[in-house]
Amino acid sequence: MRLFVAIDFPDSVKDQLDTLQTHIPTARWVKRHQMHLTLFFLGETDRLQDIKDALASVTAAPFELTLASVGRFPKRQKQPPRVLWVGIDADPALGQLHKKITQVLAEIGFEPEDRLFNPHITLARLKTREPLPEVDTFLNAHDVFRVPSIPITEFTLFSSMLSSQGAHYEREAVFALKTAL
């Protein structure tokens, strides 16, 4: 089973993210049911119950997120774009939640990624070997994109099944944010 931990968003937020879709050569836009903020990618594992038990121990207070601006990976304009994304205004509570999830999963043997946590929502994936002027146009047109104050009250453990039609996500468990007693 292929698993990841993420923050899911309400339909009202996904509606706003959908408005960003436009024609860009080779772009495969993320379907609305796949829009999320990844907190930890576990990969293939058969340890579903261990993971649920570990995640159930996470205590973190609810908080708010603001989606702001758009960007691309890699960031260097001279390299071909691979991903278009919406950014997250840095909130210390998000970083703390990520850290707690990482810690409890590391305790049961799941190694965190080597790279720094860079919170974003993937909008599109591109397959090109060349820089695309349409990407620059997209970034300039939406650099002031903003979805303010989304209340975050839970995080979700998803499974991901890959198929020829793309990935299908299933909620395996939802964990309410709560402060320690």
Side-chain angles (χ1 to χ4, degrees):
M1 178 175 275
R2 188 171 185 252
L3 300 172
F4 65 95
V5 181
I7 292 174
D8 201 4
F9 295 102
D11 285 339
S12 60
V13 171
K14 292 177 182 183
D15 289 343
Q16 293 178 67
L17 294 171
D18 269 345
T19 67
L20 297 174
Q21 293 188 20
T22 187
H23 174 72
I24 297 176
T26 77
R28 286 186 345 264
W29 293 92
V30 173
K31 295 176 178 81
R32 65 183 292 114
H33 69 274
Q34 296 173 323
M35 294 176 176
H36 64 272
L37 168 60
T38 301
L39 297 170
F40 195 102
F41 181 75
L42 293 124
E44 290 289 336
T45 180
D46 60 357
R47 298 181 58 201
L48 181 61
Q49 192 57 52
D50 292 343
I51 294 163
K52 286 181 180 180
D53 292 345
L55 292 174
S57 72
V58 171
T59 56
F63 58 95
E64 292 189 352
L65 278 185
T66 301
L67 308 186
S69 195
V70 294
R72 56 168 271 172
F73 292 135
K75 291 184 179 187
R76 296 184 61 187
Q77 299 291 32
K78 292 180 182 180
Q79 295 177 305
R82 299 278 181 239
V83 173
L84 299 177
W85 48 260
V86 168
I88 309 292
D89 271 356
D91 185 301
L94 174 62
Q96 291 167 0
L97 176 61
H98 174 261
K99 184 177 180 180
K100 289 178 180 183
I101 289 170
T102 300
Q103 286 173 338
V104 300
L105 293 173
E107 288 171 8
I108 62 169
F110 290 93
E111 291 293 319
E113 290 189 32
D114 290 337
R115 58 186 173 193
L116 291 175
F117 180 53
N118 187 357
H120 65 279
I121 301 164
T122 298
L123 295 173
R125 290 179 178 80
L126 297 101
K127 288 193 177 194
T128 181
R129 295 176 191 247
E130 303 294 325
L132 298 170
E134 294 89 346
V135 169
D136 294 332
T137 301
F138 172 83
L139 296 174
N140 290 330
H142 300 293
D143 68 340
V144 295
F145 177 80
R146 191 167 188 79
V147 178
S149 299
I150 304 163
I152 305 301
T153 59
E154 63 189 25
F155 64 95
T156 304
L157 175 63
F158 285 99
S159 60
S160 173
M161 303 260 285
L162 301 178
S163 74
S164 59
Q165 287 83 33
H168 172 73
Y169 299 157
E170 194 71 42
R171 288 174 176 247
E172 298 295 335
V174 177
F175 303 91
L177 294 178
K178 59 199 177 296
T179 53
L181 299 176

